Amino acid sequence: MATAVSPQTDKPDDFEETAQHLVHLDPALLVRDECNAREHDTEPDTKLISSVKELGVEEVISVRPNPDGTYGVFKGWRRAQAAQIANATAEQDGRPVRTVKAFVCADLVGRDGWTRFLSLVENDHRQKMDARDTLKAQELSLVGMDEVDQARAVKAMGLKRGAVNHLRKAQKLNDAVLRQATAGGMDLEQTAQLAEVEGISNATHRLLKALAKDQEEGRGGRGHWDQEFALLMEEQASAKARADATAALQESGVALLSSLPHGQRQSAQPLTDLTTGLGAPLTVDNHHGCHGHCATLDEDNQPVWHCADPAANGHKVRKQPKPPRSAEDEAEAAEKSAERARVVACNRAWKAAAGPRQQFISRLVKGKSLPDEARTFAQQVLLELPEFYGKWASKGNTADVARFLGAKEGEDATAAELAAALPKAKLSNVLFAQVAAAFEADIRDPKTYDMVRYQPAYLWEAPNPQQAAYLLLLEALGQADNGSYALSEVEDQAVAKHRPKTPDAA
Protein backbone atom coordinates (compact mmCIF):
# COMPACT_ATOMS: atom_id res chain seq x y z
CA MET A 1 0.00 0.00 0.00
CA ALA A 2 1.43 3.39 -1.02
CA THR A 3 2.36 5.75 1.75
CA ALA A 4 0.87 9.22 1.52
CA VAL A 5 3.36 12.06 1.63
CA SER A 6 2.36 15.45 2.97
CA PRO A 7 2.81 18.30 0.48
CA GLN A 8 5.76 20.62 1.18
CA THR A 9 5.18 24.26 0.29
CA ASP A 10 8.92 25.07 0.08
CA LYS A 11 10.07 22.29 -2.20
CA PRO A 12 11.94 23.37 -5.37
CA ASP A 13 9.30 22.20 -7.89
CA ASP A 14 6.51 24.19 -6.19
CA PHE A 15 8.79 27.22 -5.96
CA GLU A 16 9.78 27.03 -9.63
CA GLU A 17 6.16 26.77 -10.77
CA THR A 18 4.51 29.33 -8.48
CA ALA A 19 7.10 32.00 -7.69
CA GLN A 20 7.96 33.10 -11.26
CA HIS A 21 6.14 35.65 -13.39
CA LEU A 22 7.12 36.65 -16.92
CA VAL A 23 7.80 40.30 -17.73
CA HIS A 24 9.59 42.34 -20.41
CA LEU A 25 12.56 44.25 -18.97
CA ASP A 26 14.77 47.01 -20.30
CA PRO A 27 18.27 45.45 -20.67
CA ALA A 28 19.72 48.60 -19.08
CA LEU A 29 18.16 47.50 -15.76
CA LEU A 30 19.96 44.15 -15.77
CA VAL A 31 23.10 43.41 -13.75
CA ARG A 32 24.95 40.22 -12.96
CA ASP A 33 23.54 38.59 -9.84
CA GLU A 34 26.21 38.04 -7.19
CA CYS A 35 25.06 34.42 -6.94
CA ASN A 36 25.42 33.64 -10.64
CA ALA A 37 27.44 30.40 -10.69
CA ARG A 38 29.20 31.27 -13.92
CA GLU A 39 32.17 33.44 -13.00
CA HIS A 40 34.45 32.72 -15.99
CA ASP A 41 33.78 33.12 -19.70
CA THR A 42 30.84 35.40 -18.98
CA GLU A 43 31.29 37.73 -21.98
CA PRO A 44 29.03 37.20 -25.01
CA ASP A 45 30.85 36.08 -28.14
CA THR A 46 30.50 37.61 -31.60
CA LYS A 47 28.13 34.87 -32.77
CA LEU A 48 25.73 35.47 -29.87
CA ILE A 49 25.82 39.25 -30.35
CA SER A 50 25.08 38.87 -34.09
CA SER A 51 22.11 36.64 -33.30
CA VAL A 52 20.69 39.02 -30.68
CA LYS A 53 21.12 42.04 -32.96
CA GLU A 54 19.10 40.27 -35.63
CA LEU A 55 16.50 38.35 -33.61
CA GLY A 56 16.61 39.63 -30.04
CA VAL A 57 16.93 37.35 -27.00
CA GLU A 58 14.68 34.40 -27.79
CA GLU A 59 15.20 32.39 -24.60
CA VAL A 60 13.81 33.70 -21.31
CA ILE A 61 16.35 34.73 -18.66
CA SER A 62 15.84 34.48 -14.86
CA VAL A 63 16.37 37.41 -12.47
CA ARG A 64 15.91 38.53 -8.86
CA PRO A 65 14.75 42.09 -8.05
CA ASN A 66 17.26 44.36 -6.29
CA PRO A 67 16.40 47.17 -3.82
CA ASP A 68 17.76 49.84 -6.21
CA GLY A 69 15.30 48.91 -8.99
CA THR A 70 17.72 46.78 -11.02
CA TYR A 71 17.43 43.03 -11.56
CA GLY A 72 20.17 40.50 -10.85
CA VAL A 73 20.54 37.93 -13.63
CA PHE A 74 21.37 34.44 -12.37
CA LYS A 75 20.39 32.59 -15.56
CA GLY A 76 21.26 34.10 -18.96
CA TRP A 77 23.77 36.83 -18.08
CA ARG A 78 25.61 36.44 -21.43
CA ARG A 79 22.32 36.88 -23.28
CA ALA A 80 21.53 39.93 -21.18
CA GLN A 81 24.88 41.52 -22.01
CA ALA A 82 24.37 40.77 -25.71
CA ALA A 83 21.01 42.59 -25.52
CA GLN A 84 22.70 45.61 -23.90
CA ILE A 85 25.36 45.68 -26.64
CA ALA A 86 22.72 45.31 -29.37
CA ASN A 87 20.58 48.16 -27.98
CA ALA A 88 23.60 50.46 -27.66
CA THR A 89 23.96 50.61 -31.46
CA ALA A 90 20.36 49.84 -32.47
CA GLU A 91 19.37 53.39 -33.35
CA GLN A 92 22.38 54.14 -35.54
CA ASP A 93 22.07 50.73 -37.28
CA GLY A 94 18.34 51.21 -37.90
CA ARG A 95 17.34 48.29 -35.65
CA PRO A 96 14.60 48.27 -33.02
CA VAL A 97 15.48 48.75 -29.35
CA ARG A 98 14.29 45.54 -27.74
CA THR A 99 13.32 44.40 -24.27
CA VAL A 100 14.26 41.05 -22.75
CA LYS A 101 11.77 38.43 -21.56
CA ALA A 102 12.56 37.47 -17.98
CA PHE A 103 11.21 35.35 -15.17
CA VAL A 104 11.24 37.61 -12.09
CA CYS A 105 11.73 35.36 -9.06
CA ALA A 106 10.83 37.56 -6.11
CA ASP A 107 10.77 34.60 -3.69
CA LEU A 108 14.48 34.08 -4.28
CA VAL A 109 15.36 37.35 -2.58
CA GLY A 110 17.43 36.42 0.45
CA ARG A 111 17.83 32.82 -0.67
CA ASP A 112 21.36 33.06 -2.01
CA GLY A 113 22.24 29.39 -1.66
CA TRP A 114 19.26 28.16 -3.66
CA THR A 115 19.75 30.88 -6.28
CA ARG A 116 23.35 29.80 -6.78
CA PHE A 117 22.22 26.15 -7.03
CA LEU A 118 19.65 26.94 -9.74
CA SER A 119 22.29 28.89 -11.66
CA LEU A 120 24.76 26.02 -11.31
CA VAL A 121 22.25 23.45 -12.61
CA GLU A 122 21.41 25.58 -15.65
CA ASN A 123 25.05 26.14 -16.61
CA ASP A 124 26.07 22.56 -15.86
CA HIS A 125 23.32 21.17 -18.10
CA ARG A 126 24.17 23.57 -20.94
CA GLN A 127 26.36 21.18 -22.90
CA LYS A 128 27.53 22.21 -26.36
CA MET A 129 25.80 20.37 -29.21
CA ASP A 130 27.69 17.78 -31.17
CA ALA A 131 29.33 19.38 -34.23
CA ARG A 132 27.49 17.15 -36.70
CA ASP A 133 24.12 17.80 -35.03
CA THR A 134 24.79 21.54 -35.22
CA LEU A 135 25.62 21.38 -38.94
CA LYS A 136 22.58 19.27 -39.74
CA ALA A 137 20.24 21.46 -37.71
CA GLN A 138 21.57 24.60 -39.37
CA GLU A 139 21.20 23.13 -42.85
CA LEU A 140 17.66 21.83 -42.28
CA SER A 141 16.51 25.12 -40.79
CA LEU A 142 17.92 27.17 -43.69
CA VAL A 143 16.57 24.86 -46.41
CA GLY A 144 13.02 25.33 -45.13
CA MET A 145 13.13 29.16 -45.25
CA ASP A 146 12.33 31.65 -47.98
CA GLU A 147 15.14 33.90 -49.24
CA VAL A 148 14.35 36.79 -46.88
CA ASP A 149 14.22 34.63 -43.76
CA GLN A 150 17.25 32.64 -44.89
CA ALA A 151 19.35 35.80 -45.32
CA ARG A 152 18.29 36.97 -41.85
CA ALA A 153 19.02 33.59 -40.25
CA VAL A 154 22.43 33.32 -41.92
CA LYS A 155 23.32 36.76 -40.59
CA ALA A 156 22.05 35.87 -37.11
CA MET A 157 24.16 32.68 -37.02
CA GLY A 158 27.24 34.60 -38.12
CA LEU A 159 27.52 32.58 -41.35
CA LYS A 160 28.53 33.72 -44.85
CA ARG A 161 26.97 33.56 -48.27
CA GLY A 162 26.64 30.03 -49.61
CA ALA A 163 26.04 28.70 -46.09
CA VAL A 164 23.66 25.94 -47.22
CA ASN A 165 26.22 24.53 -49.66
CA HIS A 166 28.98 24.83 -47.05
CA LEU A 167 26.83 22.94 -44.52
CA ARG A 168 26.15 20.11 -46.94
CA LYS A 169 29.83 19.73 -47.81
CA ALA A 170 30.98 19.90 -44.18
CA GLN A 171 28.71 17.01 -43.20
CA LYS A 172 30.60 14.69 -45.56
CA LEU A 173 33.51 14.63 -43.10
CA ASN A 174 33.67 11.74 -40.65
CA ASP A 175 33.18 12.46 -36.95
CA ALA A 176 36.88 12.35 -36.05
CA VAL A 177 37.91 14.84 -38.77
CA LEU A 178 34.91 17.06 -38.00
CA ARG A 179 35.95 17.22 -34.33
CA GLN A 180 39.52 18.08 -35.39
CA ALA A 181 38.25 20.88 -37.62
CA THR A 182 36.03 22.34 -34.90
CA ALA A 183 38.71 22.08 -32.22
CA GLY A 184 41.26 23.70 -34.55
CA GLY A 185 39.06 26.77 -35.04
CA MET A 186 37.92 26.22 -38.64
CA ASP A 187 34.85 28.24 -39.57
CA LEU A 188 32.04 26.73 -41.65
CA GLU A 189 33.51 27.76 -45.01
CA GLN A 190 36.91 26.32 -44.09
CA THR A 191 35.33 23.08 -42.85
CA ALA A 192 33.51 22.78 -46.18
CA GLN A 193 36.79 23.37 -48.04
CA LEU A 194 38.46 20.67 -45.95
CA ALA A 195 35.71 18.29 -47.09
CA GLU A 196 36.63 19.06 -50.72
CA VAL A 197 40.26 17.95 -50.30
CA GLU A 198 40.07 15.55 -47.36
CA GLY A 199 40.96 12.65 -49.67
CA ILE A 200 44.49 14.05 -50.07
CA SER A 201 46.89 12.50 -47.58
CA ASN A 202 47.53 14.70 -44.53
CA ALA A 203 45.16 17.43 -45.79
CA THR A 204 43.64 18.06 -42.36
CA HIS A 205 47.04 18.53 -40.71
CA ARG A 206 48.27 20.82 -43.48
CA LEU A 207 45.20 23.05 -43.35
CA LEU A 208 45.23 23.23 -39.55
CA LYS A 209 48.90 24.24 -39.70
CA ALA A 210 48.07 27.00 -42.22
CA LEU A 211 45.16 28.16 -40.07
CA ALA A 212 47.45 28.31 -37.03
CA LYS A 213 49.84 30.57 -39.00
CA ASP A 214 47.00 32.95 -39.80
CA GLN A 215 45.88 32.93 -36.17
CA GLU A 216 49.42 33.57 -34.90
CA GLU A 217 49.68 36.67 -37.08
CA GLY A 218 46.55 37.95 -35.34
CA ARG A 219 45.26 40.04 -38.24
CA GLY A 220 42.08 38.07 -38.86
CA GLY A 221 43.11 37.15 -42.42
CA ARG A 222 43.37 33.76 -44.07
CA GLY A 223 46.26 34.24 -46.49
CA HIS A 224 48.15 31.09 -45.46
CA TRP A 225 44.94 29.04 -45.48
CA ASP A 226 44.08 30.14 -49.04
CA GLN A 227 47.53 29.19 -50.32
CA GLU A 228 47.50 25.73 -48.72
CA PHE A 229 43.94 25.02 -49.90
CA ALA A 230 44.85 26.07 -53.46
CA LEU A 231 47.87 23.74 -53.40
CA LEU A 232 45.72 20.85 -52.15
CA MET A 233 43.18 21.50 -54.91
CA GLU A 234 46.01 21.43 -57.48
CA GLU A 235 47.31 18.15 -56.07
CA GLN A 236 43.80 16.70 -56.13
CA ALA A 237 43.30 17.78 -59.74
CA SER A 238 46.67 16.26 -60.65
CA ALA A 239 45.78 12.98 -58.94
CA LYS A 240 42.42 12.88 -60.74
CA ALA A 241 44.06 13.58 -64.09
CA ARG A 242 46.46 10.68 -63.50
CA ALA A 243 43.62 8.39 -62.42
CA ASP A 244 41.62 9.35 -65.53
CA ALA A 245 44.63 8.74 -67.80
CA THR A 246 45.22 5.36 -66.15
CA ALA A 247 41.55 4.42 -66.56
CA ALA A 248 41.62 5.45 -70.22
CA LEU A 249 44.58 3.12 -70.87
CA GLN A 250 42.87 0.24 -69.08
CA GLU A 251 39.61 0.78 -70.97
CA SER A 252 41.51 0.66 -74.26
CA GLY A 253 42.91 -2.73 -73.27
CA VAL A 254 46.49 -1.61 -72.69
CA ALA A 255 48.29 -3.31 -69.80
CA LEU A 256 49.92 -1.02 -67.23
CA LEU A 257 53.60 -1.72 -66.67
CA SER A 258 53.09 -1.31 -62.91
CA SER A 259 50.51 -4.13 -62.89
CA LEU A 260 52.77 -6.71 -64.53
CA PRO A 261 54.76 -9.36 -62.60
CA HIS A 262 58.12 -8.25 -61.22
CA GLY A 263 60.14 -10.20 -63.82
CA GLN A 264 58.36 -8.55 -66.75
CA ARG A 265 58.74 -5.10 -65.21
CA GLN A 266 62.48 -5.73 -64.94
CA SER A 267 62.88 -6.84 -68.57
CA ALA A 268 60.53 -4.19 -70.06
CA GLN A 269 62.03 -1.50 -72.28
CA PRO A 270 60.54 1.59 -73.94
CA LEU A 271 59.79 1.29 -77.65
CA THR A 272 62.17 4.17 -78.37
CA ASP A 273 65.05 1.85 -77.40
CA LEU A 274 63.85 -1.04 -79.57
CA THR A 275 63.54 -1.99 -83.25
CA THR A 276 61.90 -4.78 -85.18
CA GLY A 277 63.92 -7.85 -86.10
CA LEU A 278 64.86 -6.13 -89.35
CA GLY A 279 65.91 -2.91 -87.63
CA ALA A 280 62.79 -0.81 -88.34
CA PRO A 281 61.65 1.59 -85.59
CA LEU A 282 58.96 0.36 -83.19
CA THR A 283 55.99 2.67 -82.70
CA VAL A 284 52.72 2.39 -80.84
CA ASP A 285 50.97 1.66 -84.15
CA ASN A 286 53.14 -1.24 -85.32
CA HIS A 287 53.63 -2.62 -81.81
CA HIS A 288 50.00 -2.56 -80.70
CA GLY A 289 49.39 -6.23 -81.49
CA CYS A 290 52.48 -7.45 -79.62
CA HIS A 291 51.84 -9.65 -76.56
CA GLY A 292 54.26 -7.47 -74.57
CA HIS A 293 52.54 -4.18 -75.44
CA CYS A 294 52.17 -2.09 -72.26
CA ALA A 295 52.59 1.48 -71.03
CA THR A 296 53.38 3.70 -68.10
CA LEU A 297 52.61 7.40 -67.55
CA ASP A 298 55.10 10.27 -67.38
CA GLU A 299 54.79 13.34 -65.12
CA ASP A 300 52.41 14.96 -67.61
CA ASN A 301 50.19 11.83 -67.64
CA GLN A 302 51.16 10.98 -71.21
CA PRO A 303 51.68 7.28 -72.08
CA VAL A 304 55.22 5.99 -72.50
CA TRP A 305 54.97 2.79 -74.56
CA HIS A 306 56.96 -0.30 -73.59
CA CYS A 307 57.41 -3.92 -74.51
CA ALA A 308 57.35 -6.21 -71.47
CA ASP A 309 59.56 -8.92 -73.05
CA PRO A 310 61.51 -7.63 -76.08
CA ALA A 311 63.63 -10.77 -76.61
CA ALA A 312 60.67 -13.17 -76.56
CA ASN A 313 58.79 -10.99 -79.07
CA GLY A 314 61.65 -10.78 -81.55
CA HIS A 315 62.67 -7.18 -80.92
CA LYS A 316 66.20 -5.88 -81.00
CA VAL A 317 67.76 -3.33 -78.69
CA ARG A 318 68.53 -0.17 -80.63
CA LYS A 319 71.80 0.43 -78.77
CA GLN A 320 74.40 -1.68 -77.09
CA PRO A 321 73.55 -2.36 -73.44
CA LYS A 322 75.02 0.16 -71.08
CA PRO A 323 77.88 -0.98 -68.85
CA PRO A 324 76.99 -1.87 -65.25
CA ARG A 325 76.35 1.20 -63.18
CA SER A 326 78.78 2.12 -60.43
CA ALA A 327 77.87 3.43 -56.99
CA GLU A 328 78.59 6.94 -58.29
CA ASP A 329 76.17 6.36 -61.16
CA GLU A 330 73.49 5.20 -58.73
CA ALA A 331 74.03 8.27 -56.54
CA GLU A 332 73.85 10.55 -59.57
CA ALA A 333 70.64 8.87 -60.74
CA ALA A 334 69.10 9.25 -57.28
CA GLU A 335 70.07 12.91 -57.22
CA LYS A 336 68.52 13.48 -60.65
CA SER A 337 65.34 11.71 -59.54
CA ALA A 338 65.08 13.87 -56.40
CA GLU A 339 65.69 17.02 -58.45
CA ARG A 340 63.00 16.02 -60.93
CA ALA A 341 60.56 15.45 -58.07
CA ARG A 342 61.42 18.90 -56.69
CA VAL A 343 60.83 20.52 -60.08
CA VAL A 344 57.44 18.82 -60.44
CA ALA A 345 56.40 19.87 -56.91
CA CYS A 346 57.54 23.48 -57.36
CA ASN A 347 55.88 23.79 -60.77
CA ARG A 348 52.63 22.49 -59.30
CA ALA A 349 52.87 24.86 -56.34
CA TRP A 350 53.61 27.83 -58.62
CA LYS A 351 50.50 27.14 -60.69
CA ALA A 352 48.35 26.67 -57.57
CA ALA A 353 49.51 30.00 -56.11
CA ALA A 354 47.95 31.87 -59.04
CA GLY A 355 44.43 31.24 -57.69
CA PRO A 356 44.73 33.03 -54.31
CA ARG A 357 46.89 35.74 -55.90
CA GLN A 358 44.33 36.59 -58.55
CA GLN A 359 41.45 36.45 -56.07
CA PHE A 360 43.31 39.04 -53.98
CA ILE A 361 43.86 41.24 -57.03
CA SER A 362 40.13 41.10 -57.76
CA ARG A 363 39.36 42.20 -54.19
CA LEU A 364 41.84 45.08 -54.49
CA VAL A 365 40.39 46.26 -57.80
CA LYS A 366 36.78 46.02 -56.57
CA GLY A 367 37.57 47.88 -53.32
CA LYS A 368 36.33 51.38 -52.64
CA SER A 369 39.80 52.87 -52.96
CA LEU A 370 43.01 51.41 -54.31
CA PRO A 371 46.01 51.58 -51.95
CA ASP A 372 48.50 54.28 -52.97
CA GLU A 373 51.29 51.71 -53.29
CA ALA A 374 49.31 49.83 -55.95
CA ARG A 375 48.47 53.04 -57.83
CA THR A 376 52.10 54.20 -57.85
CA PHE A 377 53.31 50.78 -59.00
CA ALA A 378 50.82 50.71 -61.91
CA GLN A 379 51.76 54.25 -62.96
CA GLN A 380 55.45 53.36 -63.06
CA VAL A 381 54.88 50.31 -65.26
CA LEU A 382 52.65 52.24 -67.66
CA LEU A 383 55.15 55.08 -67.97
CA GLU A 384 58.22 52.86 -68.38
CA LEU A 385 56.51 50.37 -70.73
CA PRO A 386 58.74 47.35 -70.00
CA GLU A 387 59.15 44.69 -72.69
CA PHE A 388 56.85 42.11 -71.05
CA TYR A 389 54.03 44.68 -70.92
CA GLY A 390 54.38 45.38 -74.65
CA LYS A 391 54.25 41.66 -75.46
CA TRP A 392 51.08 41.25 -73.43
CA ALA A 393 49.43 44.34 -74.94
CA SER A 394 50.23 43.21 -78.48
CA LYS A 395 48.14 40.05 -77.99
CA GLY A 396 45.02 42.10 -77.15
CA ASN A 397 43.72 39.54 -74.65
CA THR A 398 42.00 41.48 -71.86
CA ALA A 399 40.00 38.59 -70.36
CA ASP A 400 41.97 38.78 -67.09
CA VAL A 401 41.39 42.55 -66.92
CA ALA A 402 37.64 42.00 -67.28
CA ARG A 403 37.72 39.31 -64.57
CA PHE A 404 39.60 41.60 -62.18
CA LEU A 405 37.01 44.33 -62.87
CA GLY A 406 34.21 41.99 -61.83
CA ALA A 407 33.15 40.10 -64.97
CA LYS A 408 31.33 36.90 -64.06
CA GLU A 409 31.99 33.57 -65.73
CA GLY A 410 30.20 33.40 -69.06
CA GLU A 411 29.51 37.15 -69.12
CA ASP A 412 30.04 38.88 -72.48
CA ALA A 413 30.99 42.30 -71.10
CA THR A 414 34.47 43.42 -72.19
CA ALA A 415 37.08 45.07 -69.99
CA ALA A 416 36.45 48.39 -71.77
CA GLU A 417 32.70 48.19 -71.14
CA LEU A 418 33.18 47.33 -67.47
CA ALA A 419 35.70 50.15 -67.02
CA ALA A 420 33.39 52.66 -68.72
CA ALA A 421 30.65 51.87 -66.18
CA LEU A 422 32.91 52.76 -63.25
CA PRO A 423 33.12 56.29 -61.76
CA LYS A 424 36.11 58.50 -62.58
CA ALA A 425 37.49 57.93 -59.06
CA LYS A 426 38.07 54.28 -60.03
CA LEU A 427 40.53 55.06 -62.86
CA SER A 428 43.51 53.92 -60.78
CA ASN A 429 41.70 50.62 -60.07
CA VAL A 430 41.30 50.03 -63.80
CA LEU A 431 44.96 50.80 -64.52
CA PHE A 432 46.12 48.46 -61.76
CA ALA A 433 43.86 45.70 -63.12
CA GLN A 434 45.53 46.09 -66.52
CA VAL A 435 49.08 46.07 -65.14
CA ALA A 436 48.28 43.07 -62.91
CA ALA A 437 46.87 41.17 -65.91
CA ALA A 438 50.12 41.78 -67.81
CA PHE A 439 52.19 40.48 -64.90
CA GLU A 440 49.93 37.44 -64.46
CA ALA A 441 50.44 36.54 -68.12
CA ASP A 442 54.20 37.02 -67.69
CA ILE A 443 54.49 34.68 -64.70
CA ARG A 444 51.75 32.17 -65.53
CA ASP A 445 54.12 29.48 -66.78
CA PRO A 446 56.79 28.56 -64.22
CA LYS A 447 59.15 27.53 -67.03
CA THR A 448 61.22 30.32 -68.58
CA TYR A 449 64.53 30.74 -70.39
CA ASP A 450 67.73 32.20 -68.95
CA MET A 451 69.06 34.46 -71.72
CA VAL A 452 72.37 34.91 -69.88
CA ARG A 453 73.19 31.21 -69.53
CA TYR A 454 71.21 30.15 -72.61
CA GLN A 455 69.38 27.38 -70.79
CA PRO A 456 65.90 26.61 -69.43
CA ALA A 457 65.10 28.07 -66.00
CA TYR A 458 62.21 28.32 -63.55
CA LEU A 459 60.57 31.45 -62.12
CA TRP A 460 60.50 29.93 -58.64
CA GLU A 461 64.31 29.85 -58.78
CA ALA A 462 65.11 33.19 -60.36
CA PRO A 463 62.34 35.69 -61.14
CA ASN A 464 63.54 38.93 -62.67
CA PRO A 465 63.49 42.12 -60.53
CA GLN A 466 60.19 43.32 -62.03
CA GLN A 467 58.42 40.02 -61.32
CA ALA A 468 59.81 39.93 -57.78
CA ALA A 469 58.72 43.54 -57.17
CA TYR A 470 55.18 42.63 -58.27
CA LEU A 471 54.98 39.69 -55.85
CA LEU A 472 56.48 41.70 -52.98
CA LEU A 473 53.93 44.48 -53.61
CA LEU A 474 51.03 42.04 -53.34
CA GLU A 475 52.53 40.56 -50.17
CA ALA A 476 52.77 44.01 -48.56
CA LEU A 477 49.23 44.93 -49.60
CA GLY A 478 47.88 41.63 -48.24
CA GLN A 479 49.56 42.08 -44.87
CA ALA A 480 48.26 45.66 -44.66
CA ASP A 481 44.78 44.28 -45.35
CA ASN A 482 44.68 42.30 -42.08
CA GLY A 483 46.66 39.42 -43.56
CA SER A 484 44.02 38.64 -46.19
CA TYR A 485 46.76 37.52 -48.59
CA ALA A 486 50.19 35.94 -48.10
CA LEU A 487 52.74 34.62 -50.55
CA SER A 488 52.85 30.86 -50.97
CA GLU A 489 55.95 28.97 -49.90
CA VAL A 490 57.21 28.68 -53.48
CA GLU A 491 56.64 32.42 -54.14
CA ASP A 492 58.38 33.32 -50.89
CA GLN A 493 61.31 31.16 -51.97
CA ALA A 494 61.38 32.93 -55.36
CA VAL A 495 61.54 36.49 -53.98
CA ALA A 496 63.96 35.75 -51.12
CA LYS A 497 66.98 37.23 -52.94
CA HIS A 498 65.01 40.36 -53.86
CA ARG A 499 63.83 41.28 -50.38
CA PRO A 500 65.28 44.53 -49.02
CA LYS A 501 68.18 43.77 -46.66
CA THR A 502 67.58 44.59 -43.01
CA PRO A 503 70.24 46.47 -41.01
CA ASP A 504 71.11 43.25 -39.18
CA ALA A 505 71.60 41.35 -42.45
CA ALA A 506 73.81 44.12 -43.81
Side-chain angles (χ1 to χ4, degrees):
M1 181 174 179
T3 304
V5 179
S6 301
Q8 297 179 12
T9 58
D10 196 29
K11 69 178 182 178
D13 286 347
D14 284 348
F15 160 75
E16 285 287 275
E17 292 177 4
T18 62
Q20 299 178 352
H21 62 282
L22 186 64
V23 299
H24 287 261
L25 296 177
D26 181 348
L29 297 176
L30 302 176
V31 297
R32 180 181 178 278
D33 194 287
E34 62 182 7
C35 292
N36 191 313
R38 189 171 187 143
E39 297 182 3
H40 302 284
D41 190 26
T42 61
E43 299 294 324
D45 56 29
T46 303
K47 190 173 180 180
L48 175 58
I49 293 171
S50 297
S51 174
V52 172
K53 282 183 177 179
E54 191 67 23
L55 306 174
V57 177
E58 294 287 295
E59 191 174 349
V60 182
I61 67 172
S62 296
V63 302
R64 294 192 298 178
N66 293 325
D68 61 358
T70 61
Y71 295 84
V73 182
F74 63 91
K75 288 185 183 181
W77 176 228
R78 293 174 72 250
R79 283 167 275 154
Q81 291 178 95
Q84 293 170 345
I85 293 170
N87 278 357
T89 58
E91 186 173 347
Q92 67 187 53
D93 293 344
R95 291 182 284 98
V97 175
R98 294 186 174 97
T99 57
V100 175
K101 289 181 288 187
F103 286 125
V104 179
C105 306
D107 285 2
L108 283 181
V109 175
R111 301 183 63 190
D112 291 351
W114 191 253
T115 301
R116 190 178 295 278
F117 168 73
L118 293 175
S119 179
L120 173 64
V121 169
E122 196 240 19
N123 283 289
D124 189 49
H125 287 179
R126 231 175 231 288
Q127 187 174 1
K128 188 174 181 180
M129 283 179 66
D130 175 78
R132 186 172 300 283
D133 289 344
T134 299
L135 293 174
K136 186 175 181 179
Q138 288 175 330
E139 181 198 350
L140 292 177
S141 63
L142 291 174
V143 167
M145 296 179 183
D146 59 33
E147 290 185 5
V148 175
D149 285 344
Q150 189 179 95
R152 190 181 179 199
V154 165
K155 186 177 179 182
M157 287 188 284
L159 303 179
K160 298 178 182 178
R161 290 181 60 186
V164 175
N165 288 333
H166 294 332
L167 289 162
R168 286 173 180 163
K169 289 179 182 177
Q171 290 180 75
K172 295 178 182 178
L173 295 171
N174 64 46
D175 290 340
V177 175
L178 192 55
R179 282 194 296 270
Q180 270 187 289
T182 303
M186 291 187 195
D187 61 24
L188 177 59
E189 182 181 4
Q190 290 170 324
T191 306
Q193 288 179 327
L194 169 60
E196 290 185 58
V197 297
E198 201 258 333
I200 298 294
S201 177
N202 216 23
T204 305
H205 173 74
R206 287 168 59 180
L207 285 173
L208 284 173
K209 187 176 178 181
L211 177 58
K213 278 187 182 179
D214 286 326
Q215 291 171 340
E216 285 170 10
E217 290 181 358
R219 296 186 178 97
R222 44 181 288 167
H224 296 293
W225 172 282
D226 287 342
Q227 292 289 3
E228 194 62 42
F229 176 68
L231 182 55
L232 285 165
M233 288 290 285
E234 182 71 22
E235 290 175 17
Q236 182 167 267
S238 178
K240 183 180 184 304
R242 194 164 190 83
D244 290 346
T246 300
L249 281 176
Q250 291 174 323
E251 287 173 11
S252 66
V254 176
L256 291 172
L257 182 59
S258 59
S259 67
L260 298 178
H262 177 73
Q264 288 183 299
R265 291 202 305 271
Q266 291 294 99
S267 63
Q269 292 198 50
L271 298 189
T272 53
D273 290 350
L274 301 172
T275 68
T276 65
L278 297 177
L282 276 178
T283 66
V284 62
D285 293 326
N286 64 17
H287 188 260
H288 195 272
C290 177
H291 293 298
H293 190 61
C294 60
T296 185
L297 295 172
D298 63 15
E299 288 91 349
D300 297 320
N301 299 322
Q302 297 301 310
V304 179
W305 305 104
H306 285 67
C307 183
D309 196 345
N313 291 296
H315 307 322
K316 292 182 178 179
V317 177
R318 187 182 291 272
K319 312 180 213 180
Q320 290 297 321
K322 294 181 181 179
R325 300 208 301 182
S326 64
E328 289 78 8
D329 293 333
E330 295 289 349
E332 183 180 353
E335 186 177 341
K336 286 182 179 179
S337 176
E339 176 61 17
R340 182 57 191 160
R342 186 178 79 92
V343 168
V344 170
C346 287
N347 283 346
R348 180 186 295 141
W350 186 267
K351 293 175 183 177
R357 189 175 63 241
Q358 292 175 13
Q359 289 170 9
F360 178 57
I361 293 167
S362 294
R363 292 199 300 272
L364 283 173
V365 172
K366 294 175 193 173
K368 291 182 180 179
S369 61
L370 188 74
D372 282 341
E373 297 88 344
R375 175 185 58 79
T376 304
F377 184 86
Q379 285 178 183
Q380 183 177 350
V381 172
L382 291 170
L383 291 172
E384 294 179 352
L385 294 176
E387 183 181 0
F388 83 90
Y389 183 82
K391 287 182 179 178
W392 171 80
S394 67
K395 295 179 181 177
N397 185 351
T398 59
D400 281 348
V401 183
R403 186 158 51 86
F404 293 153
L405 291 174
K408 296 178 182 177
E409 190 173 349
E411 189 176 359
D412 293 332
T414 65
E417 291 169 339
L418 291 167
L422 296 174
K424 292 180 181 178
K426 290 272 192 174
L427 176 59
S428 59
N429 299 56
V430 176
L431 297 181
F432 181 73
Q434 182 159 309
V435 169
F439 268 106
E440 288 301 312
D442 190 44
I443 66 174
R444 181 170 289 122
D445 190 345
K447 297 179 183 178
T448 184
Y449 194 81
D450 189 335
M451 298 301 294
V452 177
R453 297 182 177 86
Y454 296 103
Q455 63 183 20
Y458 298 95
L459 289 178
W460 39 265
E461 283 186 322
N464 65 42
Q466 290 171 327
Q467 294 165 337
Y470 171 66
L471 293 174
L472 288 170
L473 169 73
L474 295 179
E475 178 187 50
L477 294 174
Q479 294 309 301
D481 185 37
N482 299 319
S484 63
Y485 172 75
L487 292 182
S488 66
E489 182 181 355
V490 74
E491 290 171 313
D492 185 53
Q493 166 189 305
V495 301
K497 294 180 181 178
H498 296 269
R499 289 189 180 280
K501 292 185 178 180
T502 61
D504 293 339

